[in-house]
Amino acid sequence: MNNSKLLSTHQFDANKLVAEHPPVITDRNKFVVFKLGLSKHHAESPSIGYSRWGQVDLPKYVNKTDIELIYQNEYFSYPSSTADCIEWHLNFAHEDVFGFYGGSLFAQDEMQVAEHPVLGCLREALLDLEIDRTTVQNGQATPILVTGVERRCKVATDRDAAAGRPYGLYGSEFQRASEEVVRGATTVLEPPTKSNIIAMESPPPDFGLYTREQIKFILASAITGFSAAVNLSRGVKKDVQVSIHTGYWGCGAYGGNRELMPLLQVIAAYCADVDILHFHTGGDSGGYVAALQTLEEIMPEWEEISLDLLINSILSMRYDWGVSDGN
């Protein structure tokens, strides 16, 4: 299935973005990372693609494909694409894409922008040029895909008391750290690598049990974003493999259910004809493992099943919302 609906597309020059739309940083530690990442910036292949996609219609039926599911007990490491396999990484976005990159927040969205600092420049260009930057519009998912953006640095967020980060640097710990600790945790990548990004927002925080409408929106959002990645990738090379890296999307600040969200993303990957789905657990594999076990119970192997019946099975499990982690 691929009924992707392209809403708009733009091309940017990375070198012009840095020169004409510099990032706006209000946090001292974020300034350290961006200064290191953009030092001596010059992209040899500066073309960055920006596209926005309309929500697809949910399929009536779904079946297990021969997708390769890969579990990784770590955060994103951003492997480069090859001639035979194009790599994509989720951005756990807000409705207003990359909207908080310059402040003190340091959850998945802000970490990704900090390591790909030209995304901050892209955000400023979108504002200056009045280009639509919303990942949800009128209750419909409108994921944004960015191609060919350089990852110019990496920030160590693990716990390392000897390096001055006994509690790591994720979330609110980032703003508590000294500039010296943040500088020591930041490694400039020479040469930089290139990443492709899928920015999409999960449902806003709620409480109680998940509703049918919420589950359908999560599926529609993921299928739309994944299908757009497949569409763009196979537009470059028809038989290329499409590899998507994701994790506990919507399970941090939004308090999403850590079993349900992986479960729905795997189903979305089946629907979108993704070849490889990497699930990064960041050291907490419990929800993902449980999701795969549940999938075995409710989705027959190699048999087509009604998506409505599948949703009914999921609703019968009475998944409830979690609590925000404050980041």
Side-chain angles (χ1 to χ4, degrees), residues 10-12 17 47-53 87-89 91 97-98 112 116 118-119 122-123 126 143-150 194-199 229 232:
H10 304 270
Q11 290 294 131
F12 295 92
L17 284 175
S47 180
I48 291 176
Y50 177 92
S51 57
R52 186 167 171 266
W53 300 77
E87 306 282 353
W88 292 86
H89 290 79
N91 173 271
V97 74
F98 311 139
Q112 188 175 80
H116 301 75
V118 176
L119 289 175
L122 174 61
R123 159 76 182 187
L126 299 176
I144 289 169
L145 276 66
V146 182
T147 59
V149 63
E150 288 186 340
K194 284 201 170 182
S195 303
N196 302 307
I197 306 298
I198 306 170
L232 288 178

Side-chain angles (χ1 to χ4, degrees), residues 69-86:
L69 299 175
I70 299 177
Y71 149 68
Q72 295 184 234
N73 194 31
E74 58 187 16
Y75 295 112
F76 290 173
S77 57
Y78 298 97
S80 297
S81 298
T82 66
D84 298 318
C85 184
I86 296 183

Side-chain angles (χ1 to χ4, degrees), residues 8-307:
S8 62
T9 183
H10 304 270
Q11 290 294 131
F12 295 92
D13 182 298
N15 296 324
K16 289 184 178 179
L17 284 175
V18 174
E20 299 173 8
H21 305 278
V24 177
I25 308 298
T26 58
D27 177 74
R28 60 181 177 84
N29 284 340
K30 202 69 70 66
F31 180 80
V32 170
V33 178
F34 272 77
K35 184 175 181 180
L36 289 169
L38 290 176
S39 62
K40 301 178 183 178
H41 178 274
H42 178 76
E44 295 294 338
S45 300
S47 180
I48 291 176
Y50 177 92
S51 57
R52 186 167 171 266
W53 300 77
Q55 181 171 306
V56 302
D57 300 323
L58 288 177
K60 292 186 181 298
Y61 297 94
V62 60
N63 61 277
K64 288 183 177 178
T65 63
D66 59 355
I67 183 173
E68 183 178 1
L69 299 175
I70 299 177
Y71 149 68
Q72 295 184 234
N73 194 31
E74 58 187 16
Y75 295 112
F76 290 173
S77 57
Y78 298 97
S80 297
S81 298
T82 66
D84 298 318
C85 184
I86 296 183
E87 306 282 353
W88 292 86
H89 290 79
L90 253 65
N91 173 271
F92 300 174
H94 182 264
E95 176 184 339
D96 191 4
V97 74
F98 311 139
F100 303 98
Y101 78 91
S104 61
L105 296 178
F106 209 61
Q108 194 272 349
D109 179 0
E110 296 79 29
M111 288 169 58
Q112 188 175 80
V113 178
E115 295 189 338
H116 301 75
V118 176
L119 289 175
C121 304
L122 174 61
R123 159 76 182 187
E124 298 306 319
L126 299 176
L127 291 171
D128 293 344
L129 301 174
E130 298 184 345
I131 293 173
D132 204 326
R133 60 188 189 276
T134 55
T135 60
V136 177
Q137 185 174 28
N138 299 324
Q140 297 277 297
T142 53
I144 289 169
L145 276 66
V146 182
T147 59
V149 63
E150 288 186 340
R151 185 186 186 215
R152 298 187 59 84
C153 63
K154 61 180 180 179
V155 181
T157 59
D158 61 317
R159 298 186 179 197
D160 187 338
R165 48 178 197 273
Y167 304 105
L169 289 181
Y170 181 81
S172 57
E173 295 301 329
F174 180 80
Q175 63 180 304
R176 296 191 184 108
S178 68
E179 294 180 36
E180 180 182 5
V181 165
V182 171
R183 187 174 293 107
T186 304
T187 302
V188 176
L189 300 179
E190 296 178 348
T193 58
K194 284 201 170 182
S195 303
N196 302 307
I197 306 298
I198 306 170
M200 58 192 203
E201 186 181 32
S202 64
D206 203 350
F207 59 91
L209 299 179
Y210 277 80
T211 65
R212 181 179 298 274
E213 291 70 27
Q214 288 170 336
I215 289 172
K216 290 176 72 173
F217 176 78
I218 295 164
L219 283 170
S221 299
I223 294 172
T224 302
F226 293 177
S227 295
V230 170
N231 183 295
L232 288 178
S233 300
R234 295 187 180 145
V236 174
K237 185 179 179 183
K238 187 175 181 180
D239 60 349
V240 74
Q241 284 198 311
V242 180
S243 171
I244 293 178
H245 296 254
T246 187
Y248 289 115
W249 168 53
C251 299
Y254 283 20
N257 186 287
R258 294 174 79 85
E259 179 181 337
L260 177 64
M261 295 303 283
L263 173 66
L264 295 178
Q265 289 184 81
V266 173
I267 294 171
Y270 288 137
C271 294
D273 296 325
V274 173
D275 296 294
I276 306 169
L277 186 72
H278 300 258
F279 198 92
H280 296 256
T281 68
D284 178 11
S285 62
Y288 177 66
V289 171
L292 294 186
Q293 292 172 343
T294 297
L295 196 63
E296 289 298 314
E297 297 170 6
I298 66 174
M299 194 171 181
E301 196 75 26
W302 308 115
E303 290 182 19
E304 192 172 66
I305 183 172
S306 161
L307 186 59

